[in-house]
Amino acid sequence: MSSSENDGMTPEEREQWLRDRGVQIETSSDRQKLESLLLNNEQGRPMSIVEQISCLSLDTCIHNEGIKFVYLPHDTSKKIATILLPRRLVEVLGPAGDIIPTYVKSFFADGKSIDEGLFRDQVAKQNLVGGDLDKFAAASKARKGEDTKDIEGNKSSPSSTLTSSALANATNSGSVETFPLVRPSSTNKFQGVYIYLDEVGLLKNLPLNPRASQLAQRCGYHPAPNFYGDVFVGRVASQSISKGFLHNIDLEKEDVMDTTKEWMVRAPQENVAWQQSLNEITGKKGELQPSLAGTEGVAVTVEKGSDGSSCSYSWIQNEDEVELTIPLLKNDEEGMKVKKNLVKVNFLHQQVSVKYDNKSFLDLHLYSKVDVDGCTWTIDKKNLIVTCEKVETGGVWPRLELSA
């Protein structure tokens, strides 16, 4: 949007323009509408997010009509569940924009206190994982009617303006952070998938959510980010980046649990493409986040199996090839050398198997196809080096194996 277009907009039009493009804006009017709708005792009112989560295990729980999204508890003994964004809530607050943050906000108003030690540590690092110290500091001062700048007119540092009690007050009604697993783009029909988490979950000392981290890793984030406490996962869509308002659409638990779903398979490549486009716009060079496994000269080490026949290997890739390094002899086998005549490597279009002295060492079903005629192997001391030429060159794989 040009500055002339922006200048000609009313505050309401500017707010709607931002909502249509996925910018999260919550006004006091939104909060009042939500409270009025959920606190109404009339029959058929939509359930709050807390009520939905509380009755997930009850067969008698009645769900109103709505848009599906996913509850992903940190406790792996609890089931991942499909829940609903109430249709009536969308009609009241929408239809434009992502309504999920407003709806799930009360779930994170759990009354848990901010850990003073963690708070001081994060202030010292100037890095609040899952939140923004500057934002909370400004909000704290605004509540007190104080100026957010120092005596010289410069923005005050978070460490000098924010206390743990002020942060607790700023987030006591719930605070939601959105994490993009994949953003809307022309290659995914302008559909994005996001994680919604407690913005101060780290400082509340909430337990890690391994399933959320694993999901982010499958979408191309290496190393996987940490998420704290229970989270939600939802989907949004638009007609294009510049046309059609952003709105919530269905995402079910199967879409999150099934690693072969198209959106998840394509996410790593789309995230890299998005970052490359952003780098071009901002003029930044050499930044490529999320980084993909086995790239930038950093090998990925993998342990296969847990019994006596287990083995480890490492792998690395570029846009044209994948290279595996497989130790065939253990470190305690000093003085021994790999006998080339005992090595057998079998290449198929999407599979590599390795045997040594008639013992199966490795059997990998690859993420994508390789050119069998372009695959080779060689011996380097105690290691077998396997090089596979990709059929589709010019791209990187999000992982080595077909199944994550």
Side-chain angles (χ1 to χ4, degrees):
M1 179 171 59
S2 67
S3 59
S4 60
E5 290 175 317
N6 189 19
D7 292 341
M9 284 187 175
T10 65
E12 292 76 15
E13 289 172 336
R14 188 179 297 108
E15 178 184 309
Q16 191 59 55
W17 189 90
L18 292 170
R19 286 180 186 271
D20 290 349
R21 284 148 184 82
V23 178
Q24 300 303 321
I25 300 174
E26 186 188 46
T27 65
S28 58
S29 175
D30 287 337
R31 289 191 291 272
Q32 290 171 1
K33 290 177 181 177
L34 179 63
E35 291 172 1
S36 174
L37 190 61
L38 296 181
L39 296 178
N40 193 327
N41 290 323
E42 70 180 33
Q43 186 176 6
R45 72 163 177 83
M47 285 193 298
S48 71
I49 184 64
V50 176
E51 289 171 328
Q52 279 206 64
I53 301 304
S54 298
C55 73
L56 278 177
S57 60
L58 302 178
D59 295 333
T60 57
C61 187
I62 301 174
H63 293 280
N64 296 312
E65 183 184 27
I67 298 172
K68 297 173 183 176
F69 67 111
V70 177
Y71 170 58
L72 196 65
H74 75 272
D75 185 347
T76 55
S77 68
K78 293 183 178 180
K79 293 182 179 179
I80 298 172
T82 301
I83 55 179
L84 292 177
L85 178 63
R87 183 74 63 184
R88 286 183 61 191
L89 185 64
V90 176
E91 292 170 352
V92 171
L93 296 181
D98 185 355
I99 311 299
I100 292 177
T102 302
Y103 181 57
V104 302
K105 183 178 178 180
S106 62
F107 181 82
F108 300 123
D110 50 19
K112 291 182 170 62
S113 59
I114 300 295
D115 185 295
E116 184 68 27
L118 288 173
F119 171 77
R120 291 184 181 279
D121 181 57
Q122 292 304 313
V123 168
K125 294 177 181 178
Q126 298 287 295
N127 175 33
L128 176 57
V129 180
D132 188 326
L133 282 175
D134 289 316
K135 178 186 73 176
F136 290 125
S140 176
K141 279 203 164 189
R143 278 186 171 85
K144 299 176 183 178
E146 299 175 2
D147 194 348
T148 58
K149 295 183 179 180
D150 61 22
I151 194 170
E152 296 178 353
N154 299 316
K155 190 174 183 181
S156 302
S157 66
S159 58
S160 65
T161 61
L162 188 64
T163 64
S164 59
S165 59
L167 179 60
N169 289 334
T171 60
N172 61 6
S173 61
S175 185
V176 184
E177 175 83 359
T178 60
F179 179 92
L181 291 173
V182 62
R183 295 172 175 85
S185 69
S186 58
T187 57
N188 58 28
K189 301 178 182 178
F190 299 100
Q191 295 183 5
V193 179
Y194 292 82
I195 287 179
Y196 306 87
L197 61 143
D198 190 331
E199 197 165 17
V200 288
L202 167 64
L203 298 187
K204 291 179 179 178
N205 208 14
L206 298 181
L208 285 168
N209 191 320
R211 292 190 288 203
S213 296
Q214 187 179 46
L215 180 59
Q217 188 171 46
R218 286 174 180 149
C219 293
Y221 289 89
H222 297 277
N226 288 330
F227 299 92
Y228 299 88
D230 298 349
V231 304
F232 302 91
V233 189
R235 178 182 278 153
V236 297
S238 179
Q239 292 179 0
S240 70
I241 294 298
S242 59
K243 296 180 180 180
F245 60 79
L246 191 76
H247 58 282
N248 297 104
I249 60 174
D250 286 340
L251 182 80
E252 302 186 51
K253 64 180 182 180
E254 291 78 14
D255 297 314
V256 170
M257 299 171 68
D258 185 353
T259 60
T260 66
K261 289 292 184 179
E262 183 180 5
W263 79 267
M264 198 182 304
V265 172
R266 296 175 60 93
Q269 304 277 11
E270 291 175 345
N271 281 329
V272 170
W274 180 89
Q275 185 63 53
Q276 289 173 331
S277 298
L278 183 63
N279 288 347
E280 292 177 5
I281 294 172
T282 59
K284 294 181 180 180
K285 302 295 181 182
E287 295 187 15
L288 197 63
Q289 290 294 332
S291 59
L292 291 177
T295 61
E296 302 177 0
V298 181
V300 177
T301 301
V302 181
E303 297 286 340
K304 296 289 287 186
S306 57
D307 54 18
S309 63
S310 65
C311 76
S312 65
Y313 68 91
S314 61
W315 67 281
I316 197 167
Q317 68 170 317
N318 58 30
E319 294 184 344
D320 303 315
E321 295 180 338
V322 173
E323 182 180 281
L324 288 82
T325 300
I326 308 162
L328 295 180
L329 297 178
K330 297 179 181 179
N331 292 331
D332 57 1
E333 296 175 317
E334 293 295 337
M336 297 186 65
K337 293 183 179 180
V338 171
K339 297 179 181 180
K340 193 171 183 178
N341 63 313
L342 297 181
V343 177
K344 184 176 180 181
V345 182
N346 187 37
F347 296 107
L348 298 177
H349 286 299
Q350 207 165 340
Q351 185 177 357
V352 176
S353 58
V354 176
K355 289 185 177 181
Y356 183 65
D357 195 14
N358 291 323
K359 175 184 177 182
S360 179
F361 255 74
L362 208 57
D363 189 11
L364 296 175
H365 294 268
L366 302 175
Y367 176 80
S368 191
K369 292 182 179 180
V370 295
D371 183 353
V372 174
D373 294 332
C375 296
T376 61
W377 63 271
T378 186
I379 301 296
D380 178 20
K381 298 180 180 179
K382 296 182 179 181
N383 299 323
L384 171 67
I385 310 298
V386 177
T387 303
C388 299
E389 184 178 315
K390 298 177 181 178
V391 169
E392 296 183 5
T393 58
V396 288
W397 296 354
R399 54 183 180 269
L400 180 64
E401 296 185 75
L402 181 61
S403 334

